[in-house]
């Protein structure tokens, strides 16, 4: 079939398009913003891209249109689609029907990773643990894992790892994406308020997680952090599957930190010491991610001791504290920050490694951040940084200047110049945005080289 994707460059839709291409379909798509790493993957897969949404999908003569949740009524391509006779569906529904359930000779064993934070990293870890165990899993991840050349593949056996997003499915299906995935193994990493553009409050998100638990089979397993009050409330509404908890010195799966930056820790299961992990990742949040991945991998038969050894070989995920380069002793990192908690845990995790100053350069770009719903938490979120640079890249209902914290910029060139002038040898620069940040990453590396030449 010829499948045409509306909103193809989002992390989910781009990964889905790659699966469709691998399955033998002809694939084309459109999006308004195209930037790496997803644009590079799509180009490598030979997928035809159309820039913008001002066109008629019939021009591509597709057999089916896959509609991403970024699409809204009023966009020319959406109105043209609805006026046409072209069949269409959502990305999650197509994934369910064509990959996970519908036309498969054997339904997949889906390992889903849900939660407000850590989904991409945990799903990447889990896929790697299964791969290292020789299981050749399929996967769809909202980022590019360092241990794999792509963010999605069909795999060679029934096991399929998926990053299970709670965002809505499409403009015509307001359920969370993850209710389409029919998981057998479910990781719920954490839960707090996010996506203020579609959820009124935390309770609304908890209801979606409750719906997810309702479709988990009795022989399935749910894995969650001990002590997460919001998830405990979800579980209290009904859980019909086996469960395992995890945490730092609490829960069924426990970890004990052996290094301040969390790069070395001991793992135990129900009081039995399994072994130690030494890796390049930092932060307590990544220990939680690791415990969740270990528990999920064990549910499909991976021995914990073997999985512990494989964690040491985990290479992380692009745009999750990814080191972009070092210029005369100044180290530059890229992080896909989208929420105050994510900003806080990332900065706290890297702080013990930083010999000089920790400089945070932040664009509050997610829908929730732009609405200003959580702006009161942003000041606390950057406490671990020595200096903060805020960038307002587009019109918002508030200004970072209201925080009275750090320096504020609306001009990218002025921001680049100020950061480059401030940075000194030994400093860590962490650039935090869930978008392209206007190409600031490479511009800053180039400017640093000029400033230090």
């Amino acid at each position: 079939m010829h499948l045409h994707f509306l909103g193809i460059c989002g992390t989910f839709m781009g990964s889905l398009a790659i699966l469709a291409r691998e399955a033998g379909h002809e694939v084309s798509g459109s999006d308004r913003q195209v930037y790496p790493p997803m644009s590079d993957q799509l180009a490598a897969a030979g997928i035809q891209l159309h820039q913008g949404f001002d066109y008629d999908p019939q021009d591509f003569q597709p057999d089916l249109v896959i509609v991403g949740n970024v699409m809204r009524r009023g966009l020319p391509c959406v109105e043209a689609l609805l006026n046409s006779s072209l069949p269409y569906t959502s990305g999650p529904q197509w994934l369910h029907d064509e990959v996970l359930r519908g036309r498969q000779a054997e339904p997949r064993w889906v390992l889903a990773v849900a939660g407000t934070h850590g989904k991409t990293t945990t799903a990447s870890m889990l896929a790697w643990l299964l791969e290292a165990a020789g299981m050749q899993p399929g996967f769809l991840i909202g980022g590019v894992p360092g241990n794999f050349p792509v963010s999605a593949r069909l795999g060679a056996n029934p096991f399929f790892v998926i990053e299970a997003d709670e965002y809505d499915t499409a403009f015509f299906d307001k359920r969370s994406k993850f209710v389409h995935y029919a998981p057998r193994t479910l990781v719920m990493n954490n839960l707090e308020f996010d996506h203020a553009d579609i959820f009124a409050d935390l309770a609304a998100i908890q209801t979606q997680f409750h719906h997810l638990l309702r479709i988990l089979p009795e022989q399935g397993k749910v894995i969650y952090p001990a002590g997460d009050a919001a998830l405990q409330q979800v579980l209290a509404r009904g859980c019909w599957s086996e469960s395992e908890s995890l945490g730092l010195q609490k829960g069924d799966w426990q970890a004990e930190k052996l290094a301040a930056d969390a790069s070395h820790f001991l793992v135990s299961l129900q009081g039995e010491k399994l072994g130690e992990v030494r890796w390049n990742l930092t932060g307590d949040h990544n220990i939680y991610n690791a415990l969740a991945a270990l528990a999920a991998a064990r549910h499909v038969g991976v021995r914990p001791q073997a999985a512990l050894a494989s964690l040491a070989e985990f290479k992380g995920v692009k745009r999750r504290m990814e080191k972009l380069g070092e210029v005369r002793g100044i180290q530059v990192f890229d992080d896909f920050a989208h929420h105050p908690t994510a900003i806080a845990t990332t900065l706290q995790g890297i702080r013990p490694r930083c010999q000089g100053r920790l400089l945070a350069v932040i664009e509050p770009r997610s829908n929730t951040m732009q609405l200003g719903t959580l702006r009161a938490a942003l000041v606390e979120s950057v406490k671990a940084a020595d200096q903060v640079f805020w960038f307002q890249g587009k019109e918002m209902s508030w200004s970072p200047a209201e925080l009275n914290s750090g320096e504020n910029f609306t001009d990218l060139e002025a921001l680049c110049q100020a950061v480059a002038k401030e940075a000194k040898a030994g400093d860590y620069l962490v650039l935090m945005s869930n978008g392209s940040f206007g190409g600031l990453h490479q511009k800053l590396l180039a400017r640093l080289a000029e400033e230090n030449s």
Side-chain angles (χ1 to χ4, degrees), residues 109-114 126 182-189 212-224 235 239-246 252-253 269-270 291-302 304:
W109 181 317
V110 177
L111 300 95
V113 181
L126 179 53
R184 188 180 178 97
T185 305
L186 172 62
V187 171
M188 299 195 300
N189 263 355
L212 181 58
L213 283 179
R214 278 186 168 275
I215 61 173
L216 197 69
E218 182 185 13
Q219 294 179 339
K221 179 165 287 187
V222 58
I223 297 155
Y224 65 95
L235 291 163
C239 181
W240 299 265
S241 312
E242 296 179 3
S243 65
E244 289 182 350
S245 60
L246 57 90
D252 298 309
W253 290 82
L269 173 58
Q270 295 175 343
L291 292 177
L294 288 167
R298 179 172 175 263
H299 191 220
V300 295
V302 179

Side-chain angles (χ1 to χ4, degrees), residues 343-416:
I343 292 171
T345 55
T346 297
L347 294 177
Q348 290 164 6
I350 199 68
R351 173 79 264 180
R353 285 195 178 182
C354 184
Q355 300 301 310
R357 296 172 303 163
L358 180 57
L359 310 183
V361 187
I362 303 172
E363 179 186 25
R365 184 183 173 278
S366 71
N367 290 332
T368 301
M369 296 272 248
Q370 287 189 40
L371 288 170
T373 310
L374 302 175
R375 65 178 180 267
L378 282 172
V379 175
E380 282 296 317
S381 76
V382 296
K383 288 292 188 183
D386 294 292
Q387 191 163 344
V388 183
F389 300 84
W390 300 97
F391 179 66
Q392 183 178 339
K394 57 176 69 175
E395 288 293 326
M396 301 195 304
S397 62
W398 67 287
S399 168
E402 299 172 24
L403 302 175
N404 295 315
S405 169
E407 300 183 43
N408 300 278
F409 296 85
T410 56
D411 181 79
L412 194 70
E413 183 60 31
L415 170 65
C416 183

Side-chain angles (χ1 to χ4, degrees), residues 257 259-265 277-283 287 353:
K257 279 203 299 185
D261 64 358
S263 62
H264 182 199
F265 56 95
V277 175
R278 294 178 184 268
W279 61 359
N280 291 323
L281 274 65
T282 61
I287 291 182
R353 285 195 178 182

Side-chain angles (χ1 to χ4, degrees), residues 144-182:
V144 181
N147 295 86
F148 300 96
V150 292
S151 61
R153 75 178 187 194
L154 292 174
N157 71 34
F159 300 115
F160 194 94
V161 178
I162 186 164
E163 178 176 335
D165 189 0
E166 73 270 25
Y167 214 81
D168 60 356
T169 296
F171 70 84
F172 50 84
D173 182 352
K174 307 313 288 184
R175 294 173 295 170
S176 288
K177 291 178 186 175
F178 55 38
V179 300
H180 297 275
Y181 300 158

